[in-house]
Amino acid sequence: MAKSHANEDQISLFGEQELAEMASDPAERVTALRREIEHHTYLYYALDAPAISDAAFDSLMRELRELEDLHPELADPSSPTQRVGGFVGEQFSAVRHEKRMYSLDNAMDLDELDAWIARMVEAYGTMPPVCCELKIDGSSIALTYEDGVLVRAATRGDGTTGEDVTANVRTVRDVPLRLREEALGAIRAGSIELRGEVYMPKASFEKLNAAAEANGKQAFANPRNAAAGSLRQKDPKITQGRDLSTFMYAVADEAALDASGQWELLQWLRDAGFHVNPDVALCETPEEVHAFCEKALERRGQLPYEIDGVVVKVNSFAQQAALGFTARAPRWAIAFKFPPEEKTTLLRDITVQVGRTGALTPVAELEPVVVAGSTVARATLHNLDEVRRKDVRIGDTVIIRKAGDVIPEVLGAVESLRPEGAQPWEMPAQCPSCGSGIIREEGEVAFRCISIDCPAQALERLEHWASRGAMDIDGMGTEIIARLVESGRVSDVADYYTLDEVELSMLDMGRVNKEGEPIRLGAVMAKKLVAAIDASRTRGLSRMLFGIGMRHVGKTTAEVLGARFGSIRALAAATEEELAEVEGVGPKIAHSIFVFMRTPDNMAVIDRLDKAGVVLEEALSDPAEQLPQTLEGLTFVLTGSLTESGMTRDEAGAKLKARGAKVSGSVSKKTSCVIAGEAAGSKYDKAVALGVPVLDEAGFLQLLETGVLPEGL
Ligand code: AMP
């Protein structure tokens, strides 16, 4: 504690004498001390008005700790001394939210905000009073109290199921372990779930990152990631050292509390001992809402924590209930997102990255700068044409633009600040990774390295093969792959299948321990990796075709090819014309596949995969088992996650395809239906804008059962 305080002896629940009298009965003294400490914690964190010095507070705490040590029978998990609990297990257990934790719909500018207000006016005849709050850029949290005592804290997870992070949240000092007595009367049931945001103040974030950097550890990209990461530590003591705070703003079930609306709820949360953001306003006109948003935007930089917008909520719970929810968000609330931020910084260098297919991408290496809440040190410049069009040169002062989660973008240079003699940038004549020549094919923007032995390409290809959507070799990450390539042990994907546990366990990770000995991968990881490599053998033809990385062959094309040809031999035997006739393939992709299959080096890798027992066939379904093709001619798009059934999008897509439907990656007017799971994103918005029918997960499951679209869609 380090806030200034009014008066050391002021505002104490008990007088000195009273405290002394209680000393004869340790149980009473312990209770009194706990209440006293809770009271000062409340004054400090919730009201921001400490009444005693840090030293006096510590002294009360010390006395309580000593008494509890002397009298173990008085132990109580909600005592203020118990903020650090025991170790939580390796993994956090899952918590199913009784009420879903929704996302929020966004308004990207004031016009979109006005459109939402207009919808509210339409629903009610006049504008309903709305509660405006700052949108805290942290990690959502749900706290459950039973009979006033904190029993569980859960993350949002996918909205339906989160993780149990109780032990960690107990260490967050402004989370009351016990609600204040005077607030309990308003709770209608024994248990109540309250929600809000855990965040890390900007200053603590910077300190944490400076320390990480000094220790050679990875820094967090922004305070939001730092808060989320700190919440999910295996050791609560680490969380405790992270200086997390909360702002609470919601109740899971309005019926559980004696409050008529958001404004009253915030007041109650404050009374109950929570930290509630003071910047709130109850607005009755669009002008008042605008003024709140503009003020928030102005003050954004001065606040000690990150905000990424303003949340506007219809105040009355009764009105909220009448408006209800869409598949992803409440209709009664909207998040006004701050416009993208622009900053200037120095372009130190333009480097060139070599991709999996040999494409060379220029990358801006920047003097690190904080834009829209995160530090930006690199940004892609896409290709040479883009560098020319923007005319950015090494040494330039460049303008960086970023909005929230969006990837940062270099807008251009401030020409008046260009150093004398700065030359237009040129693509290098040789591949920066292997020194081979580079070419630019006709009609293409990208330059490519021509060598198939290029280590940078090899690395990317190996990573792609091991990635989730391809062969899914769990645990085979960038660092391990890089070490395998460097050691010369692995240079193409077939080499994975020749690795054994002993040699993997000895793999030198390129770092040394305190004693100066090389750090090796170790037996545990080696065993896991060998099992994962083994499991990847049976993913089947289409995953393998996607994984091998033929140019222009993405996941969908690989699936089409897998289904059409059934085996790598059949595919390799196909003529260019036969390939081009396959629906969704066409001459360009056909040519790329044909050339790939006629390149002896590639076929040698495929032979070795075959010998290593990698399945190069698709399990073709038995026609007798084929489902009736009731969805033939329909095109579906999947978005969001299917949390109810736990199906992945690939699995859901396969089920639709099994009934003859097509599954596409983007929404257009031709889309027959969009399946929107939890936290559906822009595809959902596009479907609504185009008037494409949308099914939620329940509707989708019904569709799978009946095989037909619900009536009316
Ligand atoms: P988004 O993740 O962009 O869809 O925004 C929704 C999230 O904003 C919610 O899940 C909350 O975690 C967060 N949020 C931050 N501040 C507030 C607030 N005052 N009211 C509601 N949600 C908030």
Side-chain angles (χ1 to χ4, degrees):
M1 290 203 175
K3 293 182 188 175
S4 64
H5 52 93
N7 179 344
E8 299 249 325
D9 307 314
Q10 198 195 4
I11 329 181
S12 178
L13 289 177
F14 303 96
E16 272 293 309
Q17 203 180 344
E18 248 174 296
L19 284 173
E21 276 166 13
M22 285 185 224
S24 54
D25 181 345
E28 261 181 41
R29 176 74 180 165
V30 162
T31 310
L33 280 168
R34 285 177 186 158
R35 290 198 54 197
E36 186 73 5
I37 291 168
E38 279 163 9
H39 176 67
H40 288 295
T41 308
Y42 167 72
L43 293 179
Y44 185 89
Y45 288 109
L47 299 190
D48 216 5
I52 60 171
S53 68
D54 290 2
F57 182 87
D58 290 344
S59 153
L60 292 176
M61 202 61 160
R62 206 171 317 119
E63 186 189 346
L64 176 60
R65 217 172 265 129
E66 280 167 8
L67 272 175
E68 286 180 349
D69 284 348
L70 274 176
H71 299 279
E73 74 280 7
L74 299 177
D76 178 348
S78 62
S79 166
T81 57
Q82 298 303 304
R83 285 210 177 259
V84 180
F87 242 63
V88 265
E90 275 274 299
Q91 235 112 36
F92 301 99
S93 51
V95 174
R96 229 186 132 75
H97 300 300
E98 298 233 333
K99 293 259 171 175
R100 207 181 265 196
M101 289 181 87
Y102 282 89
S103 179
L104 289 170
D105 280 336
N106 292 330
M108 301 313 287
D109 52 38
L110 287 177
D111 285 346
E112 288 187 20
L113 178 61
D114 287 343
W116 177 82
I117 295 177
R119 285 206 293 280
M120 297 303 108
V121 173
E122 203 177 308
Y124 289 103
T126 60
M127 180 173 149
V130 293
C131 186
C132 294
E133 299 167 25
L134 299 180
K135 186 165 186 294
I136 313 300
D137 201 5
S139 191
S140 352
I141 193 84
L143 307 176
T144 306
Y145 289 81
E146 265 166 29
D147 298 323
V149 175
L150 176 68
V151 291
R152 193 167 52 249
T155 61
R156 174 163 105 171
D158 60 14
T160 308
T161 310
E163 285 177 314
D164 188 328
V165 287
T166 313
N168 289 342
V169 168
R170 290 174 65 88
T171 71
V172 178
R173 278 158 304 182
D174 63 8
V175 170
L177 300 180
R178 185 194 291 279
L179 301 180
R180 287 165 53 76
E181 294 251 354
E182 46 269 56
L184 296 183
I187 303 176
R188 291 192 182 131
S191 158
I192 190 162
E193 182 183 324
L194 303 158
R195 294 173 175 176
E197 204 81 356
V198 173
Y199 68 93
M200 184 179 285
K202 290 177 190 166
S204 312
F205 164 71
E206 271 151 31
K207 242 193 257 163
L208 180 67
N209 266 1
E213 237 158 67
N215 294 324
K217 290 200 188 128
Q218 180 104 30
F220 284 107
N222 51 46
R224 172 166 29 91
N225 289 1
S230 302
L231 258 191
R232 300 181 69 259
Q233 289 295 318
K234 286 180 195 153
D235 180 357
K237 287 211 178 71
I238 297 186
T239 311
Q240 188 171 35
R242 288 286 172 83
D243 190 27
L244 295 176
S245 285
T246 56
F247 280 125
M248 300 298 288
Y249 48 71
V251 56
D253 180 4
E254 291 76 23
L257 193 71
D258 218 350
S260 65
Q262 181 66 14
W263 189 258
E264 253 183 58
L265 166 68
L266 293 177
Q267 188 51 50
W268 178 83
L269 285 167
R270 221 170 266 132
D271 292 344
F274 290 103
H275 200 190
V276 175
N277 195 288
D279 276 323
V280 287
L282 195 57
C283 298
E284 296 189 353
T285 65
E287 291 71 36
E288 285 170 11
V289 177
H290 286 195
F292 186 91
C293 292
E294 273 152 21
K295 196 172 128 219
L297 193 49
E298 255 169 46
R299 294 194 45 232
R300 173 187 202 185
Q302 293 144 32
L303 291 170
Y305 45 85
E306 289 287 351
I307 57 173
D308 62 338
V310 166
V311 187
V312 185
K313 304 171 183 173
V314 167
N315 185 54
S316 143
F317 285 156
Q319 287 182 331
Q320 286 184 7
L323 285 160
F325 295 83
T326 67
R328 61 166 240 128
R331 288 200 185 83
W332 45 262
I334 189 98
F336 167 72
K337 289 276 188 139
F338 288 151
E341 225 184 290
E342 288 179 13
K343 284 272 177 73
T344 56
T345 190
L346 192 72
L347 179 64
R348 285 176 173 168
D349 198 3
I350 298 178
T351 54
V352 173
Q353 208 167 304
V354 188
R356 171 163 53 89
T357 57
L360 305 183
T361 307
V363 178
E365 306 287 344
L366 306 160
E367 183 65 39
V369 60
V370 177
V371 196
S374 54
T375 306
V376 178
R378 304 185 87 205
T380 176
L381 288 165
H382 305 288
N383 53 58
L384 181 64
D385 293 352
E386 191 83 356
V387 180
R388 287 279 153 74
R389 196 174 60 72
K390 290 181 173 157
D391 190 20
V392 287
R393 306 181 185 188
I394 297 168
D396 268 347
T397 298
V398 289
I399 305 165
I400 312 296
R401 174 192 167 107
K402 185 170 171 293
D405 285 343
V406 179
I407 296 167
E409 185 191 3
V410 178
L411 288 185
V414 184
E415 271 181 45
S416 58
L417 296 176
R418 174 163 292 160
E420 231 173 278
Q423 294 299 314
W425 184 76
E426 289 295 342
M427 215 21 134
Q430 271 117 23
C431 169
S433 168
C434 69
S436 305
I438 61 174
I439 52 156
R440 184 183 210 176
E441 278 172 30
E442 225 183 282
E444 294 233 341
V445 281
F447 286 79
R448 277 170 212 287
C449 163
I450 53 170
S451 167
I452 53 160
D453 287 330
C454 174
Q457 287 182 52
L459 195 69
E460 294 263 343
R461 267 202 299 270
L462 287 161
E463 270 190 69
H464 177 69
W465 178 269
S467 69
R468 271 253 193 109
M471 303 302 264
D472 194 10
I473 308 182
D474 196 22
M476 190 64 82
T478 311
E479 196 189 351
I480 297 177
I481 299 174
R483 305 308 305 178
L484 287 168
V485 172
E486 258 167 55
S487 70
R489 187 54 189 80
V490 168
S491 54
D492 61 46
V493 298
D495 290 334
Y496 278 139
Y497 299 91
T498 64
L499 293 167
D500 70 41
E501 235 177 275
V502 178
E503 66 171 325
L504 267 176
S505 70
M506 295 304 288
L507 182 70
D508 184 341
M509 295 308 287
R511 289 177 273 132
V512 288
N513 64 15
K514 275 192 221 125
E515 281 77 45
E517 295 154 354
I519 295 177
R520 303 196 183 273
L521 185 64
V524 178
M525 264 310 284
K527 189 164 184 205
K528 267 196 190 162
L529 274 181
V530 167
I533 292 171
D534 223 24
S536 77
R537 283 189 167 90
T538 51
R539 305 276 181 239
L541 181 64
S542 50
R543 300 267 294 264
M544 175 264 157
L545 288 176
F546 173 55
I548 199 100
M550 290 181 272
R551 271 181 67 198
H552 310 304
V553 177
K555 209 163 178 288
T556 313
T557 310
E559 280 169 10
V560 170
L561 293 170
R564 165 71 180 74
F565 292 95
S567 78
I568 195 88
R569 300 288 157 215
L571 179 67
T575 64
E576 207 169 323
E577 292 71 35
E578 279 170 333
L579 288 166
E581 274 165 22
V582 178
E583 207 190 319
V585 173
K588 187 166 142 190
I589 304 181
H591 182 68
S592 163
I593 302 167
F594 187 75
V595 170
F596 185 95
M597 294 293 168
R598 294 293 179 287
T599 305
D601 281 352
N602 294 338
M603 289 319 281
V605 171
I606 288 174
D607 276 339
R608 284 168 50 229
L609 286 171
D610 194 14
K611 292 207 177 78
V614 176
V615 174
L616 303 177
E617 276 153 25
E618 201 77 314
L620 289 179
S621 56
D622 180 349
E625 281 178 20
Q626 215 186 30
L627 288 167
Q629 302 292 289
T630 45
L631 301 178
E632 207 161 343
L634 300 180
T635 306
F636 288 79
V637 172
L638 292 149
T639 177
S641 39
L642 300 167
T643 48
E644 211 75 38
S645 59
M647 248 184 268
T648 65
R649 275 198 226 170
D650 283 350
E651 286 163 357
K655 292 208 158 84
L656 290 167
K657 286 180 199 162
R659 287 195 176 268
K662 272 200 213 152
V663 176
S664 158
S666 56
V667 181
S668 74
K669 276 196 193 133
K670 289 191 193 145
T671 309
S672 320
C673 177
V674 168
I675 314 279
E678 189 72 46
S682 58
K683 288 181 200 163
Y684 170 83
D685 300 337
K686 191 158 178 204
V688 174
L690 292 176
V692 171
V694 178
L695 264 190
D696 62 8
E697 186 171 2
F700 170 61
L701 295 175
Q702 200 186 346
L703 162 72
L704 290 183
E705 232 175 86
T706 59
V708 288
L709 281 173
E711 263 177 57
L713 268 197

